[in-house]
Amino acid sequence: MSPLHDTTTRLGAEGSGRQDLGPLAIRWLSTGTEQAVCLLDRAQLSLGRGTEADVRLEASGVSRLHARLHRQGPIFAIEDLSSTNGSFVNGSSVRHQALSANDVIRLGAAVGVVTRLPADGTSADSGRELVPGVFFGPGLDSVLQQLESVARSDLPVVLWGETGVGKERLAQALHHLSGRRGPYYGINCAAIPAALAEAELFGHRRGAFTGAEQAGVGHLRAAHEGTLLLDELADLPLPIQAKLLRALQEQQVVPVGETLPITVQVRIVAACQTSLSELVAQGQLRADLAARVNGLTVEIPPLRQRRIDVALLFQHFLDRYSGARAPEVEPELLERLLLYGWPGNVRELELVTRRLVVVHSLEPILRATHLPSEFAPKLKAARSNAPPAPRREHDARAFALALRESGGKIAPAAASANISRQRAYRLLAGHTAAEFLEAFEQEERAREASE
C-alpha cells in the first residue's frame, strides 16, 4: 500500500465536533507507514487523489474525487462520487452510507477505520511498548490509563475479558508501571491439580506429603514484594479459595506441614473471562474472596471492538516474524483482517500472521486469498444474518424512548425497552446516548412534518 498523510490533518473549524468521548475521525492505515488521521469536524468534505479534494489520498485505485463525507445532524455519511473502483464500508460496496465508530472504509488501496480520538481532540499514539516485546494499540489507551492510575499503590486489580485479549500482558504492564522490587509471577489456576493446590499456593515442608522430596516456597512467597497474577481465579477449589482469602487478609501463609506463619507482601491481579459478579452468582467464586480482590475492575474490550488495533498489531507481528523484509500487504487482505470477528482475539491474530509469513514467505505481496478459508464465509454470514429493518426500527424507537425516560442511562433503558445491553450498544453503533437521542428526535420531527 502506498503511504498516505504522515500528520493529523484538521479539516476546518466549522462546528466543534467534540463530545466527551472525543471527536470522530478516520484513521487511514498503510502497513509500514505512519497513520493518517483526519478529523470529521466539518459539515462536508471530499476525498480523492486530486488536488481539489479536501483530503488527498495518494493511493492506487483512488479517483480524483472519489467520495464525499457530509454531516447529517450528529451522524456522518459517506457518498460515492461515481468513482472508478467504488467505495466500500464494512466490505460492501455503497453509494450512500451512514458511518459509525469502528466502521471500515476502503477507497481503492486506501483503507481506514472510523474511530474516536481522545477527548482533547489530539491524535492518539500509534501504540505503546510498555514491556519489551509487548505492544499495546491505542484501543487499549483507556485501559492503560486506569492501570497507570493505581500502579504505584497496593490496590488489587481484576482484569476480565475474552480469551486472548491480553490479560496477562496487561498484568505485566501493570507490574512494570508499579516499580515494585519483587518479581512478576503469573500462574494459571486452572492448571493446578486440586489435590496440590494448597501446597502450590502456600508452599510445603519437605516430606509433608507423598512425593514432597524437597521443600517448596509456593507461588505467593515466590512473588513476595512483587505482583502475582492469578489467571482464572474461579477455577481454584472453593476450600482453597477460603484459605487464599485468609492469606491475603493476614498477609501470611502457612506452608503445608508447618505450623508457623510466614509474612508475605504481594500485589494480586486476578484475571477472568467473566465478571466477578457472574462468577459469584454461578457459585464458582466465593463472594468474600471476590470482594477482597476487587480493588479495581478493568474490562478489556475484545479485538473486534477496537479494529484500529488490528492493523497495528498485524504490522507489529509482521515485522517481528518476517525480520527486516516485511512483505507488502494487499488492501483487501487488510480489510478482511479488520472485519474478521477474532474469537481468539490477539492470540489468534498473532497465529494468523505467523502462518502468513511462514507459508508465503517467498511472495512479495500478501494477498487476501492467502488468508484461511474461514475469513470470507464469516463476513458473508454476518451480513446475511443482519436483523431485518422493521425489527431494528422497532427496537431503536423503544430504546430511544426509554433512554429519554432514563436520562440517558443505557443499562436501565435497555431493560425498559426489553432488549439486551449488547443489543443496545449495537443500536448506538459507536455514538453516545445523547447523539443517538438527537438523531432520533430529528427523525421524529421530519416524520411529523411529512405527515
Side-chain angles (χ1 to χ4, degrees):
M1 296 174 61
S2 302
L4 306 180
H5 308 288
D6 57 4
T7 59
T8 299
T9 305
R10 293 188 177 272
L11 303 174
E14 302 166 6
S16 64
R18 304 195 176 208
Q19 306 292 335
D20 292 340
L21 294 178
L24 277 174
I26 298 177
R27 290 180 176 270
W28 297 102
L29 309 171
S30 182
T31 52
T33 67
E34 294 185 6
Q35 290 178 307
V37 181
C38 59
L39 286 174
L40 304 187
D41 59 355
R42 182 166 157 179
Q44 182 173 296
L45 56 100
S46 57
L47 308 172
R49 185 169 45 84
T51 57
E52 63 271 37
D54 297 314
V55 178
R56 294 189 63 189
L57 302 176
E58 298 175 358
S60 61
V62 178
S63 299
R64 292 185 62 82
L65 281 178
H66 196 112
R68 178 185 296 114
L69 294 168
H70 54 90
R71 181 184 292 154
Q72 298 174 338
I75 299 173
F76 272 87
I78 187 169
E79 176 187 0
D80 184 74
L81 299 178
S82 300
S83 62
T84 302
N85 295 302
S87 300
F88 294 80
V89 176
N90 296 333
S92 299
S93 178
V94 299
R95 295 291 300 274
H96 187 277
Q97 177 71 42
L99 297 176
S100 302
N102 220 35
D103 279 348
V104 176
I105 300 173
R106 179 167 62 83
L107 310 178
V111 179
V113 175
V114 181
T115 187
R116 284 195 181 276
L117 297 183
D120 59 6
T122 59
S123 174
D125 292 337
S126 295
R128 303 166 68 181
E129 191 174 359
L130 295 178
V131 181
V134 180
F135 181 85
F136 299 100
L140 289 180
D141 278 351
S142 62
V143 170
L144 292 173
Q145 288 171 9
Q146 292 180 72
L147 297 182
E148 287 173 336
S149 69
V150 301
R152 295 284 176 175
S153 71
D154 293 327
L155 194 69
V157 173
V158 176
L159 302 173
W160 76 278
E162 296 177 4
T163 181
V165 292
K167 296 185 286 291
E168 183 171 0
R169 297 291 184 252
L170 285 165
Q172 292 174 348
L174 176 64
H175 176 72
H176 177 78
L177 293 167
S178 72
R180 299 178 71 86
R181 291 185 298 174
Y184 167 81
Y185 201 86
I187 60 171
N188 183 356
C189 297
I192 301 177
L196 300 176
E198 184 175 358
E200 290 270 346
L201 287 173
F202 311 126
H204 59 85
R205 180 177 58 84
R206 179 183 178 185
F209 51 87
T210 302
E213 298 179 356
Q214 294 182 345
V217 297
H219 297 311
L220 268 77
R221 289 170 62 194
H224 181 58
E225 295 188 331
T227 301
L228 176 63
L229 170 67
L230 298 172
D231 195 8
E232 301 303 336
L233 173 64
D235 284 330
L236 287 176
L238 292 176
I240 299 300
Q241 292 184 24
K243 295 183 178 183
L244 176 60
L245 171 64
R246 183 170 182 82
L248 296 180
Q249 288 176 337
E250 303 296 330
Q251 295 190 355
Q252 293 179 333
V253 297
V254 179
V256 176
E258 300 283 3
T259 57
L260 296 178
I262 299 174
T263 299
V264 62
Q265 197 283 320
V266 63
R267 205 257 189 81
I268 295 295
V269 179
C272 310
Q273 294 187 39
T274 310
S275 67
L276 295 188
S277 59
E278 292 184 49
L279 292 171
V280 171
Q282 295 166 5
Q284 296 178 259
L285 182 66
R286 291 177 58 102
D288 47 7
L289 178 59
R292 180 64 182 81
V293 300
N294 191 16
L296 172 70
T297 295
V298 180
E299 181 180 0
I300 307 169
L303 194 56
R304 62 182 172 274
Q305 292 180 9
R306 44 189 175 97
R307 285 172 168 165
I308 186 65
D309 286 1
V310 173
L312 295 171
L313 289 169
F314 174 64
Q315 184 63 47
H316 174 71
F317 294 139
L318 196 61
D319 291 340
R320 174 191 295 180
Y321 294 114
S322 63
R325 302 180 65 180
E328 188 178 344
V329 177
E330 185 182 53
E332 289 79 4
L333 182 146
L334 181 58
E335 180 185 43
R336 287 197 184 184
L337 292 178
L338 292 168
L339 293 174
Y340 183 60
W342 298 111
N345 290 288
V346 180
R347 187 181 295 123
E348 183 182 8
L349 174 58
E350 182 175 8
L351 185 60
V352 168
T353 308
R354 287 177 60 191
R355 184 187 307 170
L356 286 170
V357 170
V358 171
V359 177
H360 303 284
S361 58
L362 300 179
E363 301 182 40
I365 301 177
L366 294 179
R367 303 187 182 279
T369 54
H370 296 160
L371 287 168
S373 59
E374 63 265 23
F375 275 68
K378 286 189 177 181
L379 292 177
K380 294 177 183 177
R383 289 194 293 271
S384 63
N385 291 335
R391 176 192 160 195
R392 179 179 178 83
E393 291 175 4
H394 175 273
D395 288 354
R397 179 176 177 79
F399 180 50
L401 294 174
L403 267 179
R404 185 185 294 165
E405 292 295 325
S406 69
K409 296 179 180 178
I410 295 172
S416 178
N418 198 29
I419 62 175
S420 67
R421 191 164 51 173
Q422 292 80 2
R423 174 68 170 153
Y425 280 107
R426 284 197 293 270
L427 290 172
L428 288 173
H431 299 293
T432 65
E435 290 174 342
F436 182 83
L437 275 175
E438 183 179 346
F440 171 75
E441 289 168 355
Q442 285 183 353
E443 291 178 2
E444 289 288 283
R445 289 193 294 268
R447 185 180 295 110
E448 290 174 0
S450 63
E451 293 175 352

